[in-house]
Amino acid sequence: MQKTIDFTNCRRMPGPAYNGANGKKIAIEFEGKQYMLKFPPSGKGKPTELSYTNSCFSEHIGSSIFNFLGIEAQETILGTFAMPGGTKIVCACLDFTASGKRLLDFCSIKNTILDSDSNGSGTELDDVLDTIDKQQFVDPITLRTHFWNVFVVDALLGNFDRHNGNWGFLYDPAAKKSEIAPVFDCGSCLLPQADEEVMHNVLSDSTERDLRIFRFPTSALKLEGRKINYYDFLTQAKYADCNQAVRRIYERINMGQIASFIDGVPYLTDLQRQFYKSYISDRLNLILKPAYENLGS
C-alpha cells in the first residue's frame, strides 16, 4: 500500500494557476517536482462527505488504469491537506507543463478548423473526428488511435465528462513541435458522487447495477445530438477505428492487476475497494467483452 503523505506544508508555487470546474487547485512542490494539488469539490447538493472525496479517488484510480493499459496519463499521488474545515484527502497530479510546454486543449484546436460545423466546445462525434483529420498539430492517424483508445478506456471506467476541454496536446515553444498530452482529468470516472448507500445498492442489486452499466453514465460525446450510450455504441461496432481500439484495449486488461492496485490504494474503506473492483469488472464483462466478442476472430 502507498505510504500516506501530508501535503499541507509543501511549498506553494506562486506562478501556476489552473482552471476547471471541479474543486479547487493549487500548485505545490513535492520531492523536487511541481504538482497540481486537486481538492475535492465542496459545493452544495452532494449527499455525504464520501462523495466529496470520491473525485480524488476517481482521479487517481482512473489515471493509474490508463497507464496500466499503455496509454500515458498524468502521474498521481493521494495524500492529505489540513484546512480550516478539517483535513481533506487530495490528489496530487504531476504538472506536465512545468518544463515550459503549453497545454493546448482540443477545444482550442477545434476552433482552428475554419470549416467546422460547430465551435470548439461542440462534441458531436463526426465533427470531432473531422477536426482530428484536419488539424495539423500532430499526425492525424496517431491522434485517431489515441482518441479511440481513450474512448474505450473511458467506457470501462464510466467517464461521463471527457469533453473537448480536458484532453489535447502539449506544445513545445522551443522546439516548435506538438505532441499528444498525457491523459488527465479523470475525476468523473467511477461514479464519483456515489455514497455508501449507492455503493451498497450497486453491489447487492443487479437492477441498480445494470442502470449504471447500460443506461448511465453516458459519454460526453454526441451522435445526432444525443450523448453516446457506451454499451449501444460499442456493441453496434459501426466505427472501424473504434473496433480496433476495443480489440487493443480489451486484450490488455488484467483485472488481477487492477484489483491488486485498488487493494493498495490508501484511504479507501473496505466498501469502496469492493465497489471499485466490482464496478470495473462489471463494465468489462457487460460492455467491453460483448463488444469484443461481436468482432469475431
Side-chain angles (χ1 to χ4, degrees), residues 41-47 52:
S42 56
K44 297 180 180 179
K46 303 290 180 68
Y52 298 138

Side-chain angles (χ1 to χ4, degrees), residues 106-135 140 143-144 147-148 163-164 167 169 220-226 228 233 239:
F106 190 74
C107 182
S108 302
I109 301 305
K110 198 165 179 291
N111 277 331
T112 69
I113 309 302
L114 300 182
D115 61 349
S116 173
D117 293 334
S118 66
N119 61 25
S121 61
T123 55
E124 189 69 28
L125 176 60
D126 288 343
D127 193 38
V128 168
L129 294 175
D130 184 62
T131 297
I132 288 173
D133 289 341
K134 291 178 177 177
Q135 57 75 38
L143 186 59
R144 264 190 180 249
F147 171 82
W148 285 118
H163 54 76
N164 294 343
W167 72 282
F169 310 149
L221 292 163
K222 296 179 180 179
L223 263 180
E224 299 179 352
R226 299 186 63 179
I228 290 173
F233 184 87
Y239 287 74

Side-chain angles (χ1 to χ4, degrees), residues 51-207:
S51 67
Y52 298 138
T53 305
N54 281 350
S55 63
C56 290
F57 292 136
S58 296
E59 189 80 60
H60 179 58
I61 295 171
S63 297
S64 299
I65 289 174
F66 269 102
N67 280 317
F68 292 158
L69 297 176
I71 303 169
E72 183 183 6
Q74 62 184 357
E75 174 192 317
T76 57
I77 307 171
L78 290 176
T80 58
F81 195 95
M83 302 178 67
T87 298
K88 300 292 186 182
I89 296 172
V90 295
C91 185
C93 306
L94 186 65
D95 189 338
F96 45 71
T97 66
S99 64
K101 294 180 180 179
R102 292 168 45 205
L103 177 63
L104 305 177
D105 62 36
F106 190 74
C107 182
S108 302
I109 301 305
K110 198 165 179 291
N111 277 331
T112 69
I113 309 302
L114 300 182
D115 61 349
S116 173
D117 293 334
S118 66
N119 61 25
S121 61
T123 55
E124 189 69 28
L125 176 60
D126 288 343
D127 193 38
V128 168
L129 294 175
D130 184 62
T131 297
I132 288 173
D133 289 341
K134 291 178 177 177
Q135 57 75 38
Q136 298 179 356
F137 291 81
V138 299
D139 173 61
I141 295 176
T142 301
L143 186 59
R144 264 190 180 249
T145 298
H146 173 77
F147 171 82
W148 285 118
N149 282 346
V150 171
F151 180 87
V152 173
V153 181
D154 279 340
L156 174 69
L157 301 175
N159 190 350
F160 59 84
D161 198 34
R162 184 73 65 193
H163 54 76
N164 294 343
N166 61 14
W167 72 282
F169 310 149
L170 290 178
Y171 177 70
D172 185 339
K176 296 184 179 180
K177 292 183 179 180
S178 298
E179 61 186 310
I180 298 171
V183 173
F184 62 97
D185 204 355
C186 295
S188 296
C189 298
L190 304 173
L191 301 183
Q193 295 186 17
D195 60 12
E196 293 94 334
E197 181 179 2
V198 169
M199 290 185 179
H200 277 298
N201 289 342
V202 171
L203 288 169
S204 62
D205 186 334
S206 61
T207 300

Side-chain angles (χ1 to χ4, degrees), residues 182-256:
V183 173
F184 62 97
D185 204 355
C186 295
S188 296
C189 298
L190 304 173
L191 301 183
Q193 295 186 17
D195 60 12
E196 293 94 334
E197 181 179 2
V198 169
M199 290 185 179
H200 277 298
N201 289 342
V202 171
L203 288 169
S204 62
D205 186 334
S206 61
T207 300
E208 292 292 325
R209 178 203 65 190
D210 288 352
L211 281 174
R212 293 163 177 84
I213 299 292
F214 299 115
R215 290 188 58 185
F216 63 86
T218 57
S219 170
L221 292 163
K222 296 179 180 179
L223 263 180
E224 299 179 352
R226 299 186 63 179
K227 289 187 175 181
I228 290 173
N229 177 290
Y230 282 120
Y231 174 80
D232 292 343
F233 184 87
L234 292 179
T235 55
Q236 287 169 5
K238 293 182 178 179
Y239 287 74
D241 289 340
C242 181
N243 297 340
Q244 292 173 16
V246 168
R247 289 185 188 276
R248 279 193 299 272
I249 299 305
Y250 182 82
E251 291 175 359
R252 294 176 188 176
I253 295 171
N254 182 332
M255 272 308 303

